[in-house]
Amino acid sequence: MFARGGRLTSALTTRLLPSQVGTRGARRVGKAYRRPHLAEHLDLTFRTENRILGSVGLDVCASFATGPRQDDGTFYEFRTYYLKPSKMKEFLENSKKNVHLRTAHSELIGYWSVEFGGRLNTVFHIWKYDNFAHRTAVRKALAQDKEWQEQFLLPSLPLIDKQTSEITYLVPWCKLGKPPKQGVYELITFQMTPGGPALWGHSFQRAIHVHINQGYATLIGVFNAEYGALNRVHVLWWSENADTRAAGRHRSHEDPRVVAAVRESVQYLETQQNILLIPTSFSPLK
């Protein structure tokens, strides 16, 4: 048994079990399967090897699992409301007027409207919770908050066409950032190949850090999806305006350090979506 390319293998892995061999394969191994003692020997050999590889595999899984984990249960809920086109202004006015009723129960990180890259007449907001018990308590309290129900929820429901919710964790190597001043935000959603951070986490981290180190944009947060589409990572960036964002992106495309890091990470990428977000007047992140 030996390691090759990060995977465990052995000289025996090139052999086939009788049950795995078709007519053509049976001719290849010839008399081996017609002699009982030889077949028994092969079967014993494979069973022994499977036990060895299985035990090593358990150790490997225990060592790498799904990658680094955060220290506590804090998570962030991404909520997206798709509004009826004629009701966008009314919804935002009602939200601004009554958002304090909602933030009395849990922390609002940011509240934006979609400008480019996604469905129009859409609002996106991020809420922070200490753990799932905290969120359950908040939802229960909101259901009993008559002022919230009557002043915001009931008037707003007819204005909403569709809602989605996604639970995410801030990745362990990233802290939630603050913008230097008011600007615009870009939410980039990466759908990665199955396997989790243990497979693509390090190369993804390098690609993010090289953008930060060269000052092409200001990072707000990197979020890994826990509920919703798995193997999905959201990266929230801040820029002074859409033009400075475009200029930084063009410069990064010509930077060999960025190109090399992205080239390594992109092998694990399935799809990507970029959305430009405009913060509302009542958004904590401006």
Side-chain angles (χ1 to χ4, degrees):
M1 189 185 306
F2 54 92
R4 177 180 295 170
R7 294 176 294 178
L8 291 173
T9 183
S10 78
L12 295 175
T13 57
T14 57
R15 302 180 184 177
L16 298 174
L17 284 169
S19 61
Q20 296 173 307
V21 181
T23 304
R24 183 177 179 183
R27 287 199 299 269
R28 185 180 296 116
V29 296
K31 298 179 180 180
Y33 296 117
R34 293 199 293 268
R35 291 191 289 179
H37 68 281
L38 202 54
E40 292 173 2
H41 172 72
L42 284 172
D43 182 60
L44 177 61
T45 300
F46 275 101
R47 283 189 282 114
T48 302
E49 183 191 32
N50 287 339
R51 286 197 299 270
I52 295 172
L53 288 174
S55 63
V56 173
L58 289 174
D59 292 337
V60 171
C61 290
S63 299
F64 292 98
T66 56
R69 300 182 181 183
Q70 63 177 35
D71 296 330
D72 57 35
T74 301
F75 66 83
Y76 299 82
E77 182 177 10
F78 285 18
R79 295 182 72 90
T80 305
Y81 295 170
Y82 303 93
L83 305 173
K84 296 176 181 179
S86 62
K87 302 299 183 180
M88 179 75 169
K89 182 179 179 181
E90 182 180 351
F91 180 86
L92 288 177
E93 287 177 349
N94 192 31
S95 298
K96 179 180 179 180
K97 182 180 178 181
N98 294 293
V99 68
H100 67 282
L101 300 175
R102 178 61 184 84
T103 54
H105 293 278
S106 63
E107 182 181 356
L108 174 65
I109 299 300
Y111 207 113
W112 301 266
S113 61
V114 173
E115 184 72 8
F116 302 133
R119 177 173 165 174
L120 299 180
N121 302 295
T122 298
V123 295
F124 169 73
H125 33 123
I126 302 177
W127 298 87
K128 180 181 178 181
Y129 296 97
D130 298 335
N131 48 48
F132 288 102
H134 178 211
R135 184 184 183 277
T136 299
V138 168
R139 303 307 297 179
K140 183 177 180 180
L142 286 170
Q144 298 173 350
D145 188 333
K146 291 185 178 181
E147 190 177 11
W148 164 254
Q149 297 277 335
E150 294 173 359
Q151 294 188 28
F152 176 80
L153 186 61
L154 294 178
S156 295
L157 286 178
L159 314 180
I160 301 174
D161 183 46
K162 179 183 176 182
Q163 295 173 291
T164 64
S165 172
E166 185 175 1
I167 301 300
T168 71
Y169 287 106
L170 199 63
V171 297
W173 44 268
C174 173
K175 294 183 178 180
L176 194 64
K178 295 288 185 181
K181 56 183 178 179
Q182 187 167 345
V184 299
Y185 293 76
E186 182 179 15
L187 181 68
I188 308 181
T189 299
F190 300 90
Q191 186 63 50
M192 309 300 287
T193 56
L199 177 65
W200 39 259
H202 291 302
S203 60
F204 189 89
Q205 181 179 353
R206 283 192 290 271
I208 297 298
H209 280 171
V210 73
H211 281 84
I212 299 171
N213 294 338
Q214 306 312 316
Y216 294 123
T218 299
L219 180 66
I220 300 300
V222 181
F223 305 85
N224 190 27
E226 177 74 8
Y227 284 96
L230 298 183
N231 300 292
R232 176 176 288 180
V233 184
H234 302 282
V235 182
L236 186 62
W237 299 94
W238 174 92
S239 296
E240 186 173 355
N241 53 57
D243 289 319
T244 57
R245 177 264 177 196
R249 186 172 177 84
H250 292 158
R251 291 197 307 273
S252 70
H253 287 173
E254 299 174 352
D255 189 329
R257 294 162 295 189
V258 173
V259 172
V262 170
R263 184 175 294 161
E264 179 185 359
S265 178
V266 77
Q267 62 181 314
Y268 303 110
L269 178 65
E270 292 190 348
T271 62
Q272 175 182 333
Q273 182 181 19
N274 295 32
I275 298 177
L276 187 70
L277 301 169
I278 306 298
T280 63
S281 61
F282 54 90
S283 174
L285 287 178
K286 299 296 188 184

